[in-house]
Amino acid sequence: VPVGILMWRHPLQEWKGKGTTAHFYEILLGRCYTYTQIVRPELGHKDCQKIGKAFTTAFLSKDPCSSTEQDYQPLLELTAQTVPCNKTLFWSKSSQLAHDYTRVQGDLFTLEDTLLGYMADGLKWCGDPRSSEMNYQSCPDWREDCSNNSFSVFWNAVSKRFAEDACGVVHVVLNGSISNTFDERSTFGRVEVFNLRPEKVHQLQAWVMHDVGGVHSDSCSSSSVNNLKRILKERSIAFSCQNNYGPIRLLQCVKNPEPSSCRFYV
Ligand code: C8R
C-alpha cells in the first residue's frame, strides 16, 4: 500500500477495562428487532434504527469518563415502556436467579425483560473525544478509571427510570449467601430504593435466597435487611420479607438437586 494512502488516526485513549463489545451496534439492532418482533410483539411499533442511533449518539465522540444521564435522555424517551402494576422485579447480586425466574414466570419484569435492558444486558461500550468511532481496545474501569463512565451512567439512568415507573406491590430477589444481603452501594440500594414513588408503590416484598446446600441462616432478620426495612419505613413504603421463597427455591433445586434441602422437591 502506498504510504500516502494510509490515513492518520488519532491514537485512542487507553483504559484499564475491557473495550466495546465486538459488533456492538449489530447486537443492539438485532436485539431490538428480536425484542419488538418476537419476545414482546404486544409492545407495538418501535423504530429500532432510531433507537440504535440514539444509543450510539449518547456516547460517541465524547469523553467516556464524563458521561451524564442527560446524554441518555433521547434514548430513554424512544424506549418508554409500561410495566403493569405488581409486576416489577428488582434484584441485587442475584442476577442469574432473578432472570431464571422471570423466564418461567413470564408476567414478571426485571429491567432486562424491558426493551432497553434487554438490548444492553452484558454489553460494554465507550467512545473517545478525538474520534467518532467506538473504542474496541479499552473502556474505563469503574474502580481504576472513573465511576461516571458511559455504561455505569447508563445503568444508573435506566435503573432510576425503571424504579420511578414501578407501581403496586414490587419485588426484589436478594442474595442471602453474602454478608451484605442488602448493599447500600449497589444499584438497587443506591438508586432503585430511593426512586420508588411512595404514592404508587404500596409495598416492597423481598425474597432472600440462600444457595442450596449452604448453611441455613435467617437473612430476613439480618442487620443489612433491617437497614432496608428502616429506609423504606422512612419513605412510607411497607416492607415484607421471606426467606427462600418456594417457587425460586424450586428453580435452584432443578439446577442443583443433590443437597438435602432439595430432597423435599425431588
Ligand atoms: N440493574 C443494574 N445493573 C445492571 C443491570 C440492571 O438491570 N443489568 C446489568 N447487566 N447490570 P449487582 P445491583 C450490570 O451488584 O448493583 C438494575 C451493571 O454493570 O448484582 O444491585 C436492576 O433493575 C451493574 O454494575 O446489582 C436491578 O434491580 C451490575 O450489572 C438492580 O439495578 C449490577 O450488579 C441491580 O443492580
Side-chain angles (χ1 to χ4, degrees), residues 9 21 34 54 137 175 186 190 208 217 227:
R9 288 188 175 196
T21 309
T34 302
Q137 256 60 58
N175 186 339
S186 68
R190 194 169 40 80
V208 178
S217 59
N227 190 27

Side-chain angles (χ1 to χ4, degrees), residues 7-53:
M7 289 245 292
W8 165 256
R9 288 188 175 196
H10 276 295
L12 300 179
Q13 253 176 296
E14 284 178 32
W15 305 101
K16 297 274 163 51
K18 277 207 270 178
T20 302
T21 309
H23 312 291
F24 175 80
Y25 194 67
E26 290 75 14
I27 296 174
L28 268 192
L29 272 192
R31 284 182 176 180
C32 183
Y33 288 117
T34 302
Y35 189 90
T36 54
Q37 297 293 323
I38 295 161
V39 182
R40 303 262 175 201
E42 68 276 14
L43 182 60
H45 179 74
K46 294 278 173 191
D47 187 339
C48 288
Q49 295 287 346
K50 209 167 165 185
I51 291 170
K53 281 273 171 291

